[in-house]
Amino acid sequence: MSTRTARASKFVGITAAAALALTACGGGGDDEENGDASEGEGGGTITLGIIPSWTDGLSMAYLWQGILEDEGYDVEIEEINDAALLYTGVAEGDIDVYPSAWPEVTHADYMEEYGDDVEDLGAYYEGAVLTFAVPEYSEINSIEELNDNAEDFDNRVVGIEPGSGHMGVTADSVFPEYELDENFELVESSTSAMLTELGSAIDDEEDIVVTLWRPFYAYGDYDLKDLEDPAGALGEEETLNFVANSEFSSEFPDVAEWMSGFTLSDEEYAELENMMVNEYADNEEEAADVWLEENSDMIDSLKG
């Protein structure tokens, strides 16, 4: 797990017992803790849930921490290393908002599972997509070519966290569609470990195939190309959304409206994530402050 600032509480190696601890800690749904928030007067505590190694959620959580604290809210960022537990936390009210959900494809199973217990506040980024990526120097250009070149890739597709939607789509759709089981192992890993392997392979000019996604700052750090997916097994482009507990809009109507009206272009998103991950690494709050200052007109218009 990456180092976080003092504001963020730690959910290291969370287990089912830790999930119960979420309930004990209480979340944003507590009326007493939230003060007058239920009356739409602002203030109160809002809990944002993230998987810390997934930089899309990390970036959005610290950005919105800055936005909301400027408006008098207290913000807690809960780090959970498993998507299933994160969605459970949102559904049960221990977490108010997951600020970087992929509800249309990647996390569609979770949205279906929790149904009326969660609320989709809307999309803020369009064009998100899952990918298989290789170094630019690799000779293949399509997932269809992997089986014929399996030994060059050490018979491995290097994946990320086992509970991620990407790993599910890869195992349940991509591998059977292209018959990769015959020659490849899907390696469960973590985002940080996958990136370490990717960087080492590129340093040694070796072939490697990894599960990636767009938007993601790794495309700015390395010369990569997405393998073509002629069968469409990785799914269609989707959106990044705010997914909240079903009672969030009634408890925090102003915040729900702000989140529903928030959008980012490719350029704005890339700038934000680059600040969070590269320019101000391990100082996400400062990154958020700088980004908010440079985009103050957008934020002011958002709040009306």
Side-chain angles (χ1 to χ4, degrees):
M1 178 182 294
S2 58
T3 302
R4 296 275 79 80
T5 66
R7 289 186 189 177
S9 56
K10 308 294 186 181
F11 272 66
V12 181
I14 193 166
T15 63
L20 292 175
L22 273 172
T23 303
C25 292
D30 187 283
D31 291 340
E32 182 177 350
E33 183 179 355
N34 292 331
D36 294 332
S38 61
E39 299 175 7
E41 298 177 357
T45 300
I46 294 175
T47 304
L48 306 176
I50 63 169
I51 295 174
S53 60
W54 295 4
T55 53
D56 50 342
L58 175 82
S59 300
M60 292 304 296
Y62 280 95
L63 175 64
W64 275 88
Q65 182 186 50
I67 294 172
L68 296 176
E69 287 184 345
D70 283 347
E71 295 297 317
Y73 293 89
D74 294 321
V75 177
E76 295 179 351
I77 298 177
E78 302 284 6
E79 297 182 354
I80 299 175
N81 286 320
D82 185 283
L85 290 177
L86 199 161
Y87 272 89
T88 300
V90 175
E92 294 182 351
D94 301 310
I95 293 171
D96 290 307
V97 181
Y98 176 24
S100 194
W102 298 51
E104 296 175 323
V105 179
T106 307
H107 296 158
D109 288 346
Y110 296 128
M111 297 299 291
E112 181 176 355
E113 178 178 356
Y114 291 110
D116 294 338
D117 294 327
V118 298
E119 175 184 15
D120 187 347
L121 299 180
Y124 60 85
Y125 177 86
E126 296 186 353
V129 64
L130 304 182
T131 65
F132 270 23
V134 297
E136 183 66 37
Y137 54 73
S138 291
E139 295 185 357
I140 70 168
N141 295 297
S142 172
I143 299 175
E144 286 185 314
E145 299 174 68
L146 280 173
N147 272 330
D148 290 337
N149 298 276
E151 291 185 2
D152 292 341
F153 293 88
D154 198 26
N155 302 90
R156 303 163 73 237
V157 173
V158 181
I160 55 174
E161 290 81 0
S164 68
H166 201 328
M167 291 294 279
V169 169
T170 297
D172 298 337
S173 178
V174 183
F175 263 55
E177 177 62 38
Y178 294 101
E179 299 180 343
L180 296 181
D181 281 320
E182 296 178 4
N183 295 300
F184 280 89
E185 173 192 4
L186 175 58
V187 179
E188 294 181 350
S189 177
S190 67
T191 302
S192 58
M194 176 272 290
L195 290 173
T196 297
E197 282 210 50
L198 176 63
S200 297
I202 290 176
D203 287 343
D204 296 335
E205 295 189 7
E206 296 176 347
D207 280 321
I208 185 172
V209 56
V210 298
T211 59
L212 284 189
W213 54 93
R214 293 179 183 272
F216 191 38
Y217 75 93
Y219 285 98
D221 285 353
Y222 302 109
D223 290 328
L224 302 170
K225 61 181 175 183
D226 295 337
L227 294 181
E228 296 171 5
D229 175 22
L234 283 163
E236 300 295 326
E237 288 188 354
E238 58 183 316
T239 58
L240 300 185
N241 296 33
F242 296 99
V243 168
N245 178 265
S246 59
E247 298 180 1
F248 184 77
S249 287
S250 60
E251 295 176 353
F252 298 99
D254 290 342
V255 179
E257 183 176 352
W258 297 338
M259 288 182 169
S260 297
F262 183 72
T263 59
L264 286 177
S265 67
D266 274 334
E267 292 76 15
E268 291 163 342
Y269 192 101
E271 179 190 35
L272 173 64
E273 193 167 72
N274 184 58
M275 280 187 174
M276 291 283 178
V277 177
N278 295 320
E279 293 186 35
Y280 297 89
D282 296 326
N283 196 350
E284 294 87 355
E285 291 173 0
E286 184 176 0
D289 289 343
V290 173
W291 195 92
L292 288 170
E293 183 175 351
E294 294 180 356
N295 295 273
S296 57
D297 290 345
M298 175 208 294
I299 301 303
D300 288 344
S301 65
L302 183 72
K303 297 174 183 176

Coordinates of all heavy atoms in Angstrom, one line a residue, residues 5 10 33 44 57 68 83 94 110 126 129 136 139 153 164 170 172 193-194 247 257 262 285 298-299:
T5 N -1.4 10.4 3.5 CA -1.3 11.5 4.5 C -2.0 11.1 5.7 O -2.7 10.1 5.8 CB -1.9 12.8 3.9 OG1 -3.2 12.6 3.8 CG2 -1.2 13.1 2.6
K10 N -6.4 3.9 7.6 CA -5.8 2.8 7.0 C -6.6 1.6 7.1 O -7.0 1.2 8.2 CB -4.4 2.5 7.5 CG -3.5 3.8 7.6 CD -3.1 4.3 6.2 CE -2.2 5.4 6.3 NZ -1.8 5.9 5.0
E33 N -23.4 12.3 13.9 CA -22.1 12.7 13.4 C -22.2 13.7 12.3 O -21.4 14.7 12.2 CB -21.3 11.5 12.9 CG -19.9 11.8 12.5 CD -19.2 10.6 12.0 OE1 -19.7 9.5 12.1 OE2 -18.0 10.7 11.5
G44 N -21.0 18.3 8.4 CA -21.1 16.9 8.6 C -19.9 16.2 8.1 O -19.0 16.7 7.5
G57 N -9.4 6.5 -8.4 CA -10.1 6.7 -7.2 C -9.3 7.6 -6.2 O -9.9 8.5 -5.6
L68 N -14.7 19.6 -0.6 CA -15.7 19.6 0.4 C -15.2 20.2 1.7 O -16.0 20.9 2.4 CB -16.1 18.1 0.7 CG -16.8 17.4 -0.5 CD1 -17.1 16.0 -0.1 CD2 -18.1 18.2 -0.8
A83 N -12.3 -4.5 -4.1 CA -13.5 -3.9 -4.7 C -14.8 -4.4 -4.1 O -15.7 -3.6 -3.9 CB -13.5 -4.0 -6.2
D94 N -21.5 2.3 5.5 CA -20.2 2.6 6.2 C -19.3 3.6 5.4 O -18.5 4.2 5.9 CB -19.5 1.3 6.5 CG -20.3 0.4 7.3 OD1 -20.8 0.8 8.4 OD2 -20.5 -0.8 6.9
Y110 N -21.3 -5.8 -9.4 CA -21.5 -5.2 -8.0 C -22.7 -4.3 -8.0 O -23.5 -4.3 -7.1 CB -20.3 -4.4 -7.6 CG -19.0 -5.2 -7.4 CD1 -17.8 -4.8 -8.0 CD2 -19.0 -6.3 -6.6 CE1 -16.7 -5.5 -7.9 CE2 -17.9 -7.1 -6.4 CZ -16.7 -6.7 -7.1 OH -15.6 -7.4 -6.9
E126 N -16.0 10.2 -19.5 CA -16.4 9.3 -20.6 C -15.2 8.7 -21.3 O -14.2 9.4 -21.5 CB -17.4 9.9 -21.5 CG -18.7 10.4 -20.8 CD -19.7 10.9 -21.8 OE1 -19.3 11.1 -23.0 OE2 -20.8 11.2 -21.4
V129 N -11.8 2.6 -20.5 CA -11.8 1.3 -21.2 C -10.8 0.4 -20.6 O -9.7 0.9 -20.1 CB -11.6 1.5 -22.7 CG1 -10.2 2.1 -23.0 CG2 -11.8 0.2 -23.4
E136 N 5.8 -0.7 -26.5 CA 5.7 -0.3 -27.9 C 6.5 -1.1 -28.8 O 6.2 -1.3 -30.0 CB 6.0 1.2 -28.0 CG 5.9 1.8 -29.3 CD 4.4 1.8 -29.8 OE1 3.6 2.1 -28.9 OE2 4.2 1.6 -31.0
E139 N 6.4 -7.0 -31.0 CA 6.0 -7.2 -32.4 C 4.6 -7.5 -32.6 O 4.1 -7.4 -33.7 CB 6.9 -8.3 -33.0 CG 8.4 -7.9 -33.0 CD 9.3 -9.0 -33.6 OE1 8.7 -10.0 -34.0 OE2 10.5 -8.7 -33.8
F153 N 6.3 -14.1 -24.0 CA 5.7 -13.4 -22.9 C 5.8 -14.2 -21.6 O 5.0 -14.0 -20.6 CB 4.3 -13.0 -23.2 CG 4.2 -12.0 -24.3 CD1 4.2 -12.4 -25.6 CD2 4.2 -10.6 -24.0 CE1 4.1 -11.4 -26.6 CE2 4.2 -9.7 -25.0 CZ 4.1 -10.1 -26.3
S164 N -10.7 -7.2 -8.5 CA -11.0 -6.2 -9.5 C -11.9 -6.6 -10.6 O -11.8 -7.8 -11.0 CB -9.7 -5.6 -10.1 OG -9.1 -6.5 -10.9
T170 N -11.2 -10.4 -17.5 CA -10.1 -11.1 -18.2 C -10.3 -12.6 -18.1 O -10.1 -13.4 -19.1 CB -8.8 -10.7 -17.6 OG1 -8.6 -9.3 -17.8 CG2 -7.6 -11.5 -18.2
D172 N -13.1 -14.3 -17.2 CA -14.4 -14.9 -17.6 C -14.7 -14.6 -19.1 O -15.5 -15.3 -19.7 CB -15.5 -14.3 -16.8 CG -15.4 -14.6 -15.3 OD1 -14.7 -15.6 -15.0 OD2 -15.9 -13.8 -14.5
A193 N 2.5 -3.9 -7.9 CA 3.4 -5.0 -8.3 C 3.4 -5.2 -9.9 O 4.5 -5.4 -10.5 CB 3.0 -6.3 -7.7
M194 N 2.2 -5.0 -10.5 CA 2.2 -5.1 -11.9 C 3.0 -4.0 -12.6 O 3.8 -4.3 -13.5 CB 0.7 -5.0 -12.4 CG 0.5 -5.0 -13.9 SD 0.5 -3.3 -14.6 CE -1.0 -2.7 -13.9
E247 N -28.9 6.5 0.6 CA -29.5 7.6 1.3 C -28.6 8.9 1.2 O -28.9 9.9 1.8 CB -29.6 7.2 2.8 CG -30.5 6.0 3.0 CD -30.6 5.6 4.5 OE1 -30.0 6.3 5.3 OE2 -31.3 4.7 4.8
E257 N -25.6 17.1 -5.6 CA -25.8 17.9 -6.8 C -24.5 18.3 -7.4 O -24.3 18.3 -8.6 CB -26.7 19.1 -6.4 CG -27.0 20.0 -7.6 CD -27.9 21.2 -7.2 OE1 -28.4 21.2 -6.1 OE2 -28.1 22.1 -8.1
F262 N -20.4 17.4 -12.0 CA -18.9 17.5 -12.2 C -18.5 16.6 -13.4 O -19.0 15.5 -13.6 CB -18.3 16.9 -10.9 CG -16.8 17.0 -11.0 CD1 -16.1 18.2 -10.9 CD2 -16.0 15.8 -11.1 CE1 -14.7 18.3 -10.9 CE2 -14.6 15.9 -11.1 CZ -14.0 17.1 -11.0
E285 N -2.8 15.9 -0.9 CA -3.6 17.1 -0.5 C -3.0 18.3 -1.1 O -3.7 19.2 -1.5 CB -3.6 17.2 1.0 CG -4.4 16.1 1.7 CD -4.3 16.1 3.2 OE1 -3.5 17.0 3.7 OE2 -4.9 15.3 3.9
M298 N -13.8 26.5 -12.7 CA -14.7 25.3 -12.9 C -15.4 24.9 -11.6 O -16.6 24.6 -11.5 CB -13.8 24.1 -13.3 CG -14.6 22.8 -13.4 SD -13.6 21.3 -13.1 CE -12.6 21.4 -14.5
I299 N -14.6 25.0 -10.5 CA -15.2 24.6 -9.2 C -16.2 25.6 -8.7 O -17.3 25.2 -8.2 CB -14.1 24.4 -8.1 CG1 -13.1 23.4 -8.6 CG2 -14.7 24.0 -6.8 CD1 -13.7 22.0 -8.9

